[in-house]
Amino acid sequence: MSELLSLLFSYCVHSLGAEPNSMAPASVLSNLKWLPLNSKINIKSQLQTSNIDVDTVQLPEKTRNSRVLIVGGTGRVGGSTAIALSNLCPDLRIVVAGRNREKGEAMVAKLGGNFGFSQVDMNDENSLRNALQEVDLVVHAAGPFQKEEKCSVLEAAINTKTAYVDICDDTKYAWRAKSFMRRALGANVPAITTGGLCPGLSTIMAAELVRAALRESDQDKPESLRFSYYISGTGGAGPAVLLGSLLLLGEEVIAYSEGEKVKLEPYSGKLNVDFEKGIGKRDVYLMNLPEVRCAYENLGVPTVSARFGSAPFFWNWGMENLTKVLPLEFLRDRSKVGRLVELFGPLIEAVDGIVGEHISMRVDLECASDRSRVAIFSHRKLSTAAGIATAAFALAILEGSTEPGVWFPDEVQGLAIEAREVLLKRASQGTFNFVMNRSPWTIETNPKEHGLGIYV
């Protein structure tokens, strides 16, 4: 089997015109008065794309009929976000934005109701500005964010005084977005970068673990955070997600060890992590992800890393070998990696149909006294989970939980502490396993709770 995979891999490399690598790579809404959090969860509605019940949200009166533009709304994650928003808050007016008018209008015709379509080219400043007229909130879901040189949607949002959230999962893009802080403050625009599922929701999970640990003992300092992610196949989230993952293989991994920044090889440092119910133990590998620097700088944890893994095994095998066989110049070339995604597309789609689209995230916190806490999120469908999580961030902004400026989710100005629990509750709807702030042994040995937090 491994020989067959090697031959297939070599053929694909040569068909793309790449020379094998001779050495491994180095190890707002200005017209609205922002209101305090005021969410009322009272009735149920059905997600149109799944069998998941979601709690409907009652927004403050001034934002109840807000107009929300979703850039990348014709994609899988963007489309899932549009549906989740509509079901969570039926009074919202949702505009799906994309380049392909035929695809967008067909989608809107199918969804009906409060949906509309706007043809938008992110590379055209006038196109973006026109699309954002009379829009209250823009959700940027048009990935991948890797190798994007401009924050064009964020810049247009600030220029038109429109609230903003994105689902960025790229470190360089995230900090480029943060550089717009002064302009966002001047325009009174609230903005969140790295929202959505991962790193957005996983960052909130980490922030709450740290806050709970400090509340229990301000002397027992958090010392280590580890983010672990597992996806079945590509999670059914489309070629954009796969393209972003492959482009990350061309990035040196930045992690932190006892307060020192360390540089590591991508897709190295394998760990076998237990994702518990329905997932089990899975191999995960180091990746360069923005939540690492966020946790180090914003949460003050001195040792932080992030890892990712997939199934079946040959996806991990392929990712690991790409870093060894392909030159870094290839892995950093968006057009060439895009051709690789196209080449493997039919195979990936077929495998996704077999292995499913599960997503699981685990966050491990260790404190100075060796006290450990764990948070786990597992869902049967990545695109659905990402849509609900992104919608939860959008609603938090509409509820006034985000101050003007550009913020990461774990910054209290980005998401008020009292809003975190609400966001976690909304975003975890539909999960088959969601735990927060538990000792590792209580989830890995499946004990019974006998009340008052006592497990036997």
Side-chain angles (χ1 to χ4, degrees), residues 124-368:
D124 186 325
E125 183 179 342
N126 290 328
S127 176
L128 274 173
R129 182 182 291 272
N130 291 335
L132 287 170
Q133 297 302 317
E134 299 182 1
V135 167
D136 300 307
L137 169 69
V138 57
V139 179
H140 183 5
F145 292 83
Q146 286 75 20
K147 304 304 176 185
E148 282 290 339
E149 298 299 324
K150 296 181 179 180
C151 298
S152 55
V153 180
L154 173 59
E155 190 167 10
I158 293 172
N159 290 339
T160 56
K161 300 185 184 300
T162 306
Y164 170 94
V165 62
D166 66 42
I167 60 169
C168 167
D169 57 352
D170 182 69
T171 304
K172 290 182 179 178
Y173 188 99
W175 260 263
R176 188 179 300 116
K178 282 288 283 185
S179 71
F180 285 81
M181 172 66 82
R182 184 172 296 179
R183 289 179 58 182
L185 286 170
N188 197 36
V189 170
I192 294 177
T193 185
T194 67
L197 183 62
C198 45
L201 186 63
S202 59
T203 305
I204 295 296
M205 290 162 64
E208 283 299 275
L209 287 182
V210 170
R211 189 170 73 92
L214 292 173
R215 189 172 60 232
E216 290 175 20
S217 173
D218 57 2
Q219 301 301 315
D220 190 15
K221 300 296 185 183
E223 287 199 339
S224 172
L225 262 177
R226 185 174 68 243
F227 295 88
S228 301
Y229 303 100
Y230 163 79
I231 297 175
S232 296
T234 64
V241 172
L242 178 60
L243 176 58
S245 299
L246 293 180
L247 286 169
L248 282 171
L249 297 180
E251 295 185 13
E252 196 172 42
V253 174
I254 302 299
Y256 295 87
S257 178
E258 298 180 351
E260 297 293 326
K261 183 167 71 173
V262 293
K263 298 180 180 180
L264 304 165
E265 295 182 2
Y267 234 71
S268 62
K270 181 173 74 173
L271 283 181
N272 190 247
V273 174
D274 190 354
F275 290 92
E276 219 245 342
K277 295 178 183 177
I279 303 294
K281 293 184 177 181
R282 301 288 177 173
D283 291 335
V284 291
Y285 305 77
L286 286 166
M287 293 282 265
N288 190 41
L289 299 175
E291 53 266 48
V292 172
R293 183 176 170 185
C294 281
Y296 174 75
E297 294 189 2
N298 300 333
L299 302 180
V301 181
T303 298
V304 193
S305 63
R307 287 173 170 81
F308 167 86
S310 187
F313 78 93
F314 51 76
W315 287 156
N316 289 328
W317 177 90
M319 297 276 277
E320 198 172 6
N321 278 277
L322 279 173
T323 63
K324 298 175 182 177
V325 176
L326 294 178
L328 285 176
E329 291 75 16
F330 182 98
L331 291 170
R332 292 170 178 171
D333 189 314
R334 184 168 171 147
S335 62
K336 289 181 180 179
V337 176
R339 290 169 57 198
L340 184 64
V341 171
E342 291 176 3
L343 187 63
F344 278 104
L347 173 63
I348 291 167
E349 188 173 348
V351 173
D352 277 359
I354 297 171
V355 302
E357 304 174 8
H358 289 62
I359 167 72
S360 189
M361 311 185 297
R362 173 168 171 157
V363 183
D364 287 81
L365 174 69
E366 294 181 4
C367 297

Side-chain angles (χ1 to χ4, degrees), residues 49-91:
T49 56
S50 67
N51 294 319
I52 299 171
D53 287 332
V54 293
D55 294 318
T56 302
V57 176
Q58 185 71 46
L59 285 173
E61 186 176 351
K62 286 192 175 182
T63 56
R64 190 167 301 162
N65 301 116
S66 293
R67 194 163 184 252
V68 180
L69 180 77
I70 303 177
V71 178
T74 57
R76 294 189 189 180
V77 175
S80 179
T81 301
I83 293 168
L85 267 176
S86 177
N87 284 277
L88 284 164
C89 194
D91 293 329

